Amino acid sequence: MQLGPACALGTIPACLRQATFGPAVLLLAATAATAASPGPDLDAGTCAALRDAAGAKFSLGRAACGLPAEGTPAPQPVPRARQAQQLQLYGAPPAEPAPAPTPATAAADRPWPSSLRRALSLAPVVDEVARIQDVDPLLLHAIARVESRHDAGAVSPAGARGVMQLMPATAAHYGVGDAGTLHDAATNLLVGARHLHRLQQRYPGELPLVLAAYNAGEGAVERHGRRIPPYRETQDYVRQVLHEYDRLRTAAESLLPTAAR
């Protein structure tokens, strides 16, 4: 995905008009055999934008692009079995394969859970959108995990759509009036990141309130004295996202060499 200068200024309608979204990014292109360079289906523009992204929070996208971990002089191939162990935070671990001649063969043949494939395929796009909107990409991943399991086609009973489960009225506030557009993962993530950034500005340093407002609305948080509303769904949601966020940060840190942490 390549985003124009308007994105850096936060002008969502102009940004979406200028955006060109490449094919789905496949983590499977970044196996041990190809970790040093993007595969043929990898969006080179998206990965190029991550070359200078610093910090553990961008480790997932950099790993998917086959870029070197921060603080290392050259790309380091990451065995697929290690990727699965560190990053399978979106579903049950892959089932053990049938006995194979060598551990390397078994790791290469091990199936990915569908929710993990979706999450990792979006990692470079999440990272680029997060850079533009100045939010933590791992927080975007945690919200997307809890909201939709990173499913671009998801629709809730209330009408929320896409990866970040945005209501059409919320998207319209950011210049996206066509609800169908919210099923484009890159567009949905861009709008979701913009909304999250605004909530973080409204509730600085209070992530539980940011998440409560994302789930139940800012009005509900304000009506209850700037506290998490006493709704079971919202309280469970905040706990789940915080738990996923903590796990993702732990996994991202594990991808960095010790000296760079």
Short mmCIF file of all heavy atoms in Angstrom, two decimals, residues 149-180:
data_model
loop_
_atom_site.label_atom_id
_atom_site.label_comp_id
_atom_site.label_asym_id
_atom_site.label_seq_id
_atom_site.Cartn_x
_atom_site.Cartn_y
_atom_site.Cartn_z
N ARG A 149 -11.19 -10.87 14.47
CA ARG A 149 -10.18 -11.86 14.10
C ARG A 149 -9.52 -11.47 12.78
O ARG A 149 -9.21 -12.30 11.95
CB ARG A 149 -10.77 -13.27 14.01
CG ARG A 149 -11.38 -13.81 15.30
CD ARG A 149 -10.35 -13.89 16.42
NE ARG A 149 -10.82 -14.65 17.56
CZ ARG A 149 -11.39 -14.12 18.63
NH1 ARG A 149 -11.58 -12.81 18.70
NH2 ARG A 149 -11.77 -14.88 19.64
N HIS A 150 -9.34 -10.16 12.58
CA HIS A 150 -8.71 -9.61 11.38
C HIS A 150 -9.48 -9.98 10.09
O HIS A 150 -8.89 -10.10 9.03
CB HIS A 150 -7.26 -10.08 11.25
CG HIS A 150 -6.34 -9.51 12.27
ND1 HIS A 150 -6.31 -9.94 13.58
CD2 HIS A 150 -5.40 -8.53 12.18
CE1 HIS A 150 -5.38 -9.27 14.25
NE2 HIS A 150 -4.82 -8.39 13.43
N ASP A 151 -10.78 -10.09 10.20
CA ASP A 151 -11.60 -10.50 9.05
C ASP A 151 -12.19 -9.26 8.37
O ASP A 151 -13.06 -8.58 8.93
CB ASP A 151 -12.71 -11.43 9.53
CG ASP A 151 -13.53 -12.00 8.38
OD1 ASP A 151 -13.31 -11.60 7.21
OD2 ASP A 151 -14.40 -12.84 8.65
N ALA A 152 -11.74 -8.98 7.15
CA ALA A 152 -12.22 -7.80 6.42
C ALA A 152 -13.69 -7.90 6.06
O ALA A 152 -14.35 -6.89 5.82
CB ALA A 152 -11.39 -7.60 5.15
N GLY A 153 -14.23 -9.12 6.00
CA GLY A 153 -15.63 -9.29 5.62
C GLY A 153 -16.60 -9.33 6.78
O GLY A 153 -17.81 -9.48 6.57
N ALA A 154 -16.12 -9.17 8.00
CA ALA A 154 -16.97 -9.31 9.18
C ALA A 154 -18.01 -8.19 9.25
O ALA A 154 -17.73 -7.03 8.95
CB ALA A 154 -16.11 -9.30 10.45
N VAL A 155 -19.22 -8.56 9.66
CA VAL A 155 -20.31 -7.61 9.91
C VAL A 155 -20.98 -8.01 11.21
O VAL A 155 -21.39 -9.16 11.37
CB VAL A 155 -21.35 -7.59 8.78
CG1 VAL A 155 -22.45 -6.58 9.08
CG2 VAL A 155 -20.70 -7.28 7.43
N SER A 156 -21.07 -7.09 12.15
CA SER A 156 -21.69 -7.40 13.44
C SER A 156 -23.20 -7.27 13.35
O SER A 156 -23.73 -6.63 12.43
CB SER A 156 -21.15 -6.45 14.52
OG SER A 156 -21.78 -5.18 14.40
N PRO A 157 -23.94 -7.83 14.31
CA PRO A 157 -25.40 -7.65 14.33
C PRO A 157 -25.81 -6.18 14.37
O PRO A 157 -26.87 -5.81 13.88
CB PRO A 157 -25.83 -8.39 15.60
CG PRO A 157 -24.78 -9.43 15.81
CD PRO A 157 -23.49 -8.78 15.36
N ALA A 158 -24.95 -5.33 14.95
CA ALA A 158 -25.26 -3.90 15.03
C ALA A 158 -24.90 -3.15 13.76
O ALA A 158 -25.22 -1.97 13.63
CB ALA A 158 -24.54 -3.28 16.22
N GLY A 159 -24.20 -3.83 12.83
CA GLY A 159 -23.85 -3.19 11.57
C GLY A 159 -22.42 -2.71 11.47
O GLY A 159 -22.05 -2.09 10.47
N ALA A 160 -21.58 -2.99 12.48
CA ALA A 160 -20.16 -2.63 12.40
C ALA A 160 -19.48 -3.49 11.36
O ALA A 160 -19.82 -4.68 11.20
CB ALA A 160 -19.49 -2.80 13.76
N ARG A 161 -18.51 -2.93 10.66
CA ARG A 161 -17.96 -3.61 9.48
C ARG A 161 -16.44 -3.69 9.49
O ARG A 161 -15.76 -2.78 9.96
CB ARG A 161 -18.41 -2.90 8.20
CG ARG A 161 -19.91 -2.93 7.95
CD ARG A 161 -20.32 -2.05 6.80
NE ARG A 161 -21.75 -2.08 6.58
CZ ARG A 161 -22.37 -2.85 5.68
NH1 ARG A 161 -21.65 -3.64 4.91
NH2 ARG A 161 -23.67 -2.82 5.55
N GLY A 162 -15.96 -4.78 8.91
CA GLY A 162 -14.56 -4.90 8.58
C GLY A 162 -13.63 -5.24 9.73
O GLY A 162 -14.05 -5.61 10.82
N VAL A 163 -12.35 -5.11 9.44
CA VAL A 163 -11.29 -5.53 10.36
C VAL A 163 -11.43 -4.86 11.72
O VAL A 163 -11.32 -5.51 12.76
CB VAL A 163 -9.91 -5.21 9.76
CG1 VAL A 163 -8.80 -5.54 10.74
CG2 VAL A 163 -9.70 -5.98 8.46
N MET A 164 -11.65 -3.56 11.72
CA MET A 164 -11.72 -2.80 12.97
C MET A 164 -13.16 -2.61 13.45
O MET A 164 -13.41 -1.89 14.41
CB MET A 164 -11.05 -1.44 12.79
CG MET A 164 -9.57 -1.49 12.46
SD MET A 164 -8.55 -2.06 13.82
CE MET A 164 -8.56 -0.60 14.88
N GLN A 165 -14.12 -3.25 12.77
CA GLN A 165 -15.54 -3.20 13.15
C GLN A 165 -16.01 -1.76 13.37
O GLN A 165 -16.45 -1.37 14.45
CB GLN A 165 -15.79 -4.05 14.38
CG GLN A 165 -15.78 -5.55 14.09
CD GLN A 165 -16.95 -5.99 13.24
OE1 GLN A 165 -18.05 -6.23 13.75
NE2 GLN A 165 -16.75 -6.10 11.93
N LEU A 166 -15.93 -0.99 12.30
CA LEU A 166 -16.34 0.41 12.34
C LEU A 166 -17.82 0.55 11.96
O LEU A 166 -18.28 -0.07 11.00
CB LEU A 166 -15.49 1.23 11.38
CG LEU A 166 -14.01 1.32 11.71
CD1 LEU A 166 -13.23 1.87 10.53
CD2 LEU A 166 -13.78 2.18 12.95
N MET A 167 -18.52 1.37 12.69
CA MET A 167 -19.89 1.69 12.31
C MET A 167 -19.85 2.67 11.13
O MET A 167 -18.98 3.56 11.10
CB MET A 167 -20.63 2.32 13.48
CG MET A 167 -20.85 1.38 14.66
SD MET A 167 -21.91 -0.04 14.23
CE MET A 167 -23.49 0.79 14.01
N PRO A 168 -20.76 2.54 10.18
CA PRO A 168 -20.77 3.46 9.05
C PRO A 168 -20.83 4.93 9.47
O PRO A 168 -20.20 5.78 8.84
CB PRO A 168 -22.03 3.04 8.27
CG PRO A 168 -22.16 1.58 8.56
CD PRO A 168 -21.72 1.43 10.00
N ALA A 169 -21.55 5.24 10.54
CA ALA A 169 -21.64 6.63 10.99
C ALA A 169 -20.28 7.14 11.47
O ALA A 169 -19.92 8.29 11.23
CB ALA A 169 -22.67 6.76 12.10
N THR A 170 -19.52 6.27 12.13
CA THR A 170 -18.18 6.66 12.57
C THR A 170 -17.28 6.90 11.37
O THR A 170 -16.54 7.89 11.31
CB THR A 170 -17.57 5.57 13.47
OG1 THR A 170 -18.41 5.38 14.61
CG2 THR A 170 -16.17 5.95 13.92
N ALA A 171 -17.34 6.00 10.39
CA ALA A 171 -16.51 6.16 9.19
C ALA A 171 -16.88 7.43 8.44
O ALA A 171 -16.00 8.12 7.90
CB ALA A 171 -16.68 4.94 8.28
N ALA A 172 -18.17 7.75 8.39
CA ALA A 172 -18.60 8.95 7.70
C ALA A 172 -18.00 10.20 8.34
O ALA A 172 -17.70 11.18 7.65
CB ALA A 172 -20.12 9.04 7.69
N HIS A 173 -17.81 10.16 9.65
CA HIS A 173 -17.19 11.29 10.36
C HIS A 173 -15.78 11.56 9.85
O HIS A 173 -15.31 12.69 9.90
CB HIS A 173 -17.17 10.99 11.85
CG HIS A 173 -16.53 12.06 12.68
ND1 HIS A 173 -17.16 13.26 13.00
CD2 HIS A 173 -15.30 12.14 13.25
CE1 HIS A 173 -16.36 14.01 13.73
NE2 HIS A 173 -15.22 13.37 13.90
N TYR A 174 -15.13 10.51 9.33
CA TYR A 174 -13.76 10.65 8.82
C TYR A 174 -13.72 10.68 7.29
O TYR A 174 -12.68 10.48 6.69
CB TYR A 174 -12.90 9.50 9.35
CG TYR A 174 -12.77 9.54 10.85
CD1 TYR A 174 -13.53 8.71 11.65
CD2 TYR A 174 -11.91 10.44 11.47
CE1 TYR A 174 -13.43 8.75 13.04
CE2 TYR A 174 -11.79 10.49 12.85
CZ TYR A 174 -12.56 9.65 13.63
OH TYR A 174 -12.46 9.71 15.01
N GLY A 175 -14.88 10.94 6.68
CA GLY A 175 -14.91 11.15 5.24
C GLY A 175 -15.15 9.92 4.39
O GLY A 175 -15.03 9.98 3.17
N VAL A 176 -15.51 8.79 5.00
CA VAL A 176 -15.79 7.57 4.24
C VAL A 176 -17.29 7.31 4.33
O VAL A 176 -17.78 6.76 5.33
CB VAL A 176 -14.98 6.37 4.77
CG1 VAL A 176 -15.31 5.11 3.98
CG2 VAL A 176 -13.49 6.66 4.69
N GLY A 177 -18.02 7.70 3.30
CA GLY A 177 -19.46 7.60 3.33
C GLY A 177 -20.04 6.32 2.80
O GLY A 177 -21.20 6.01 3.05
N ASP A 178 -19.26 5.56 2.07
CA ASP A 178 -19.73 4.30 1.49
C ASP A 178 -19.41 3.17 2.44
O ASP A 178 -18.25 2.80 2.63
CB ASP A 178 -19.05 4.08 0.14
CG ASP A 178 -19.50 2.80 -0.55
OD1 ASP A 178 -20.35 2.08 0.02
OD2 ASP A 178 -18.99 2.51 -1.65
N ALA A 179 -20.44 2.59 3.04
CA ALA A 179 -20.22 1.53 4.02
C ALA A 179 -19.51 0.33 3.41
O ALA A 179 -18.74 -0.35 4.08
CB ALA A 179 -21.55 1.09 4.64
N GLY A 180 -19.76 0.07 2.13
CA GLY A 180 -19.10 -1.05 1.49
C GLY A 180 -17.59 -0.91 1.45
O GLY A 180 -16.85 -1.90 1.46
#
